Amino acid sequence: AFVETELGNHTNAVEAAHRAITMSPNDLWSHTVLGVALRASGHEDEAIAAYRAALAIAPGHEPALIEAAAIAESRGDKAFALELYENADTAGTLSDLSTVLYAQLLARVKDSAMAEQLLRRSASEFENDLTRRSLIGFLHAHDRFDEAKQWLENFTENEARWEAFADLGRYLLTQRHNGRAARGGLRTAI
């Protein structure tokens, strides 16, 4: 089904995904590929149903979550997109990318304080580099430069890993903060 989708043979992809689901109804990827094929062939309602089936199996399944939320947003149904992200958040299954997309949607349609809280909750996990960079970008966009710098310095001090030093050095350089501190962060990263 996935190969057929990649080749643009959406009808064949839909049929192959349906066969896969018939053989294994709880196969997460079969439902997801069905959603992709249906969306590509212009059947967005059916695609959302396929993504919902995938999310029923694994609430935070990133491809299904992001695709279903994108369809909802493109239709102007931001409430449904928020609901999808909230369900994954409640289940504790938001990925790094899903967290960023959820925070961006929150900031656009609901409350930027909630978006910031969501980013802060996940940004301190080392593997969540997208969330961390999003938090710093959020603080910067709200003219909270010193807070962004302090947060990155604290994170770098706690993690002491080259990636953290690189993020700190890059931020300091781009924001024209202390050049010596920026060079020190980048030097440590290298």
Side-chain angles (χ1 to χ4, degrees), residues 70-151:
I71 292 171
E73 279 195 79
S74 73
R75 294 175 159 189
D77 191 355
K78 293 179 184 3
F80 177 56
L82 283 170
E83 177 188 329
L84 290 167
Y85 286 121
E86 287 168 1
N87 290 342
D89 190 23
T90 300
T93 57
L94 281 176
S95 69
D96 188 25
L97 177 58
S98 298
T99 299
V100 170
L101 294 173
Y102 180 25
Q104 289 171 347
L105 180 60
L106 278 172
R108 283 194 310 273
V109 301
K110 213 170 189 181
D111 183 356
S112 64
M114 288 175 69
E116 180 181 351
Q117 181 182 19
L118 173 67
L119 292 171
R120 283 186 182 277
R121 192 177 72 216
S122 298
S124 58
E125 297 295 324
F126 183 78
E127 65 276 359
N128 290 342
D129 59 324
L130 295 174
T131 303
R132 183 171 50 260
R133 291 176 185 145
S134 235
L135 173 62
I136 298 308
F138 178 91
L139 294 172
H140 183 80
H142 289 85
D143 297 325
R144 293 160 60 191
F145 312 111
D146 290 336
E147 188 178 347
K149 176 181 173 260
Q150 186 63 50
W151 193 93

Side-chain angles (χ1 to χ4, degrees), residues 29-51:
W29 283 101
S30 295
H31 291 284
T32 304
V33 170
L34 176 60
V36 170
L38 287 166
R39 185 175 187 199
S41 61
H43 300 282
E44 289 187 340
D45 289 333
E46 294 90 346
I48 287 178
Y51 293 135

